[in-house]
Structures are given as C-alpha cells and as structure tokens.
C-alpha cells in the first residue's frame, strides 16, 4: 500500500475512533463522562504531532460546521458558547504539547512510565483549557444564568473526572505503547 494512502487511512481511523469515543457518554453533571480523552491520548501517542493536530482540528471543524461529532446531541458554531467547549479546544493544546514533548525526546518508545507521565501532562493541559474556558464563559461572558463559584466550576468540570481520566490515561498508555512497538504503523 502506498505510504501516503496508509497514513491517510490511519488518520481517518483515528478520527473515527475519536468520534465514536465522543458518543460513548455517561451523563454525570454539566459534562458527560466520555472516552474522548482516551482517544485523544491514543492519537497523540501513535501518530506524528502534525497528524495529531490535523486529526483534532478536523474533529473541531466538523463539529463547528454542524456535524454531530461532539459528545452532546447538538453541534454547530453555537457550540462555542457551551462552557465545556474549552475541553475540545484543549485537545488541540494536547497535540501541540505532544509536539514539544516529542521534539525534546521526553518520551521513550519502550518506557511505560514515560507514556503514563506524558498522559498525565496532556490531561492537565486539557483540564487547563477546559477550566479557564468554563470560568470565562460562566463568570465573564455569563452564558449560564446561574450563580456558581469558581471552586464549584473546578469541582464540577475537573475534580469529578480525575479518577476516570487517570484510568483512561493508563489504558491509553498501554494501548499506545503496544501499537508503537508493533508493526501496525510502519
């Protein structure tokens, strides 16, 4: 198979994985518990940072153009007013962070601890984007007519997800390391 076609096929499969992972959702508050972080971690770990960025930008653009790829049932440009949209923007931040991690050779292909620590860093990047965006949309832009403290935003948008995201980070680290050590992507 032509190398370029194989690369495009792998990217399309990973985009599909992200879309499906977004739809596997358990509502537990203002944000659904999904497998998006798992899929984004696998994307960041298994393809080049440029490909990861392209996949994640494609995902965001698809959703903003109205395709129902996000975790909720609706999409479109109005989705930027949803306080949890910052987590989706954070996916792009995760890809950019992975670019710097790979460029500095901070992750070793055969070291499971490097994968897990990198997963934690990437999750923290997503949390940072998500939290700051939620605070801005709720407290400054006032998209929700609700009096909620910054601490409550932290609790409802971040703290409740930490245990689940750590588990997803462990699993994504194991899966990604096995993919990278196999001949699947070569």
């Amino acid at each position: 198979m032509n190398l370029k076609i194989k690369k495009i096929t792998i990217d399309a499969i990973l985009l599909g994985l992200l879309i499906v992972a977004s739809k596997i959702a358990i509502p537990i508050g203002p944000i659904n518990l999904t497998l998006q972080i798992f899929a984004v971690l696998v994307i960041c770990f298994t393809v080049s940072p440029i490909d990861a960025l392209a996949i994640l930008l494609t995902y965001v653009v698809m959703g903003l153009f109205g395709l129902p790829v996000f975790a909720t049932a609706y999409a479109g440009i109005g989705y930027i007013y949803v306080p949890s949209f910052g987590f989706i923007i954070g996916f792009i931040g995760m890809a950019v962070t992975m670019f710097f991690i790979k460029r500095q050779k901070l992750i070793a292909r055969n070291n499971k601890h490097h994968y897990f620590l990198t997963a934690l860093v990437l999750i923290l990047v997503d949390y940072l984007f998500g939290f700051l965006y939620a605070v801005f949309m709720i407290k400054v832009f006032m998209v929700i007519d609700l009096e909620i403290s910054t601490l409550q935003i932290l609790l409802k948008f971040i703290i409740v997800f930490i245990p689940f995201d750590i588990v997803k980070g462990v699993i994504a680290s194991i899966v990604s390391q096995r993919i990278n050590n196999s001949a699947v992507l070569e």
Side-chain angles (χ1 to χ4, degrees):
M1 181 187 302
N2 181 330
L3 186 61
K4 188 172 183 175
I5 293 173
K6 184 175 182 179
K7 184 173 150 308
I8 291 169
T9 303
I10 290 169
D11 289 357
I13 289 168
L14 290 172
L15 176 60
L17 170 69
L18 177 56
I19 294 167
V20 170
S22 299
K23 295 302 178 183
I24 300 171
I26 300 168
I28 63 169
I31 303 174
N32 292 334
L33 175 65
T34 70
L35 294 178
Q36 286 173 304
I37 287 286
F38 168 80
V40 173
L41 289 171
V42 170
I43 290 166
C44 287
F45 282 135
T46 57
V47 296
S48 74
I50 299 299
D51 286 344
L53 186 60
I55 292 166
L56 297 169
L57 282 171
T58 301
Y59 174 75
V60 172
V61 169
M62 288 171 68
L64 292 178
F65 276 133
L67 296 171
V69 296
F70 298 147
T72 59
Y74 56 95
I77 194 69
Y79 204 83
I80 64 170
Y81 297 110
V82 175
S84 62
F85 183 66
F87 292 99
I88 295 172
I89 297 169
F91 297 162
I92 295 165
M94 291 169 72
V96 170
T97 302
M98 193 63 178
F99 170 78
F100 290 107
I101 289 171
K102 285 187 176 179
R103 187 172 185 197
Q104 298 299 320
K105 298 182 181 7
L106 298 175
I107 183 169
R109 188 174 188 173
N110 293 317
N111 190 319
K112 63 184 173 192
H113 301 294
H114 285 192
Y115 275 82
F116 179 66
L117 291 174
T118 301
L120 290 180
V121 168
L122 296 178
I123 291 168
L124 286 173
V125 167
D126 192 44
Y127 284 174
L128 181 65
F129 276 88
F131 176 71
L132 292 176
Y133 194 86
V135 168
F136 177 77
M137 294 306 285
I138 294 169
K139 302 295 255 171
V140 177
F141 208 63
M142 298 184 196
V143 294
I144 298 175
D145 189 24
L146 175 66
E147 193 60 38
I148 185 170
S149 72
T150 305
L151 183 61
Q152 288 172 314
I153 295 171
L154 181 66
L155 178 65
K156 293 177 187 239
F157 282 70
I158 304 288
I159 303 295
V160 70
F161 294 98
I162 290 174
F164 302 109
D165 288 340
I166 288 174
V167 170
K168 290 181 263 185
V170 168
I171 295 169
S173 298
I174 293 167
V175 168
S176 299
Q177 185 182 19
R178 289 188 184 208
I179 290 170
N180 289 337
N181 289 332
S182 72
V184 172
L185 298 177
E186 294 174 8

